[in-house]
Amino acid sequence: MKKTINFTVTAAMIAAIYAVLTLAIAPISFGQIQLRISEAMIMFACITPAAIPGLTIGCVLSNLASPYGIIDIILGSTATLLAAAFAYSTRKIQIKKLPWLSPLGAVIFNAFLVSLSIKIVSGSEVLYLLTTFQIGVGQVLACYGLGFPLWFILQKTNLMK
C-alpha cells in the first residue's frame, strides 16, 4: 500500500512540476521553434518508473493550452509517453556511467510527433521538415543540456530515491 501511495504521489508531483514549468514559459513551450525546459525532466524516468505517468499527465495538462488543440494533446502527449518509457527502459545502458541513450527517445519522438501535429494543423509539408529539425534541436538542448545536469543533481542528492 505504501509503495502505491509513494508511486502515485511521485507521479503527481512530476506531473504538476512539468505542467507548471511548461506553462510558466508558454511563449517558448509551444510552436515551430520551442524549448520546453520541462523536457529536461525526462531524466526522472531514469530514476523512477513513476515518471512515466507523471510526465505524460503533465504533458496532457500543459498541452491543454497548446495552440494546436486536441491534435497536440494527443500526439504531443503520446510522444512524451513513448519518450518516458524509452528513457526508463534504456536507463541501465550507460557509457562512462551516463545514460546517454535515455534522452534520445524524447528528441526523436517529440521532433517527429509534435511536428506532425503542427503539420496537420497548418497543412504544410515544408513546414513539417523544418519544424522537425527545430523541435529536435530544442529537445537536444532541453534533454541533454538541461537534463543531464538535473540528473547529476538528483543522483548526488538522492532526492528521488
Side-chain angles (χ1 to χ4, degrees):
M1 174 90 162
K2 183 180 178 189
K3 200 171 189 178
T4 303
I5 292 171
N6 285 343
F7 183 92
T8 303
V9 169
T10 301
M13 288 178 14
I14 290 170
I17 294 167
Y18 183 101
V20 167
L21 283 174
T22 301
L23 296 172
I25 58 163
I28 63 169
S29 294
F30 301 99
Q32 299 165 8
I33 299 174
Q34 60 179 254
L35 178 61
R36 278 196 185 189
I37 60 169
S38 52
E39 286 293 313
M41 294 174 64
I42 195 67
M43 297 308 289
F44 287 12
C46 295
I47 299 166
T48 176
I52 299 169
L55 293 169
T56 304
I57 292 166
C59 186
V60 169
L61 293 172
S62 59
N63 281 353
L64 292 172
S66 172
Y68 302 104
I70 190 70
I71 292 170
D72 194 25
I73 294 168
I74 295 168
L75 290 177
S77 302
T78 298
T80 298
L81 171 63
L82 294 171
F86 182 86
Y88 181 76
S89 66
T90 60
R91 71 193 183 284
K92 292 182 180 177
I93 302 170
Q94 298 187 359
I95 300 169
K96 295 187 179 183
K97 298 185 181 182
L98 294 173
W100 287 100
L101 189 57
S102 294
L104 186 60
V107 174
I108 293 169
F109 292 124
N110 280 288
F112 286 97
L113 291 176
V114 173
S115 298
L116 180 59
S117 67
I118 294 171
K119 176 190 180 244
I120 290 169
V121 172
S122 72
S124 172
E125 188 69 35
V126 174
L127 182 63
Y128 175 71
L129 298 174
L130 178 60
T131 304
T132 300
F133 174 75
Q134 292 170 163
I135 290 176
V137 169
Q139 286 295 120
V140 167
L141 293 173
C143 297
Y144 285 95
L146 298 174
F148 270 125
L150 178 61
W151 183 78
F152 281 118
I153 291 168
L154 293 172
Q155 294 297 311
K156 296 282 185 204
T157 59
N158 290 323
L159 284 175
M160 295 190 66
K161 291 187 179 182

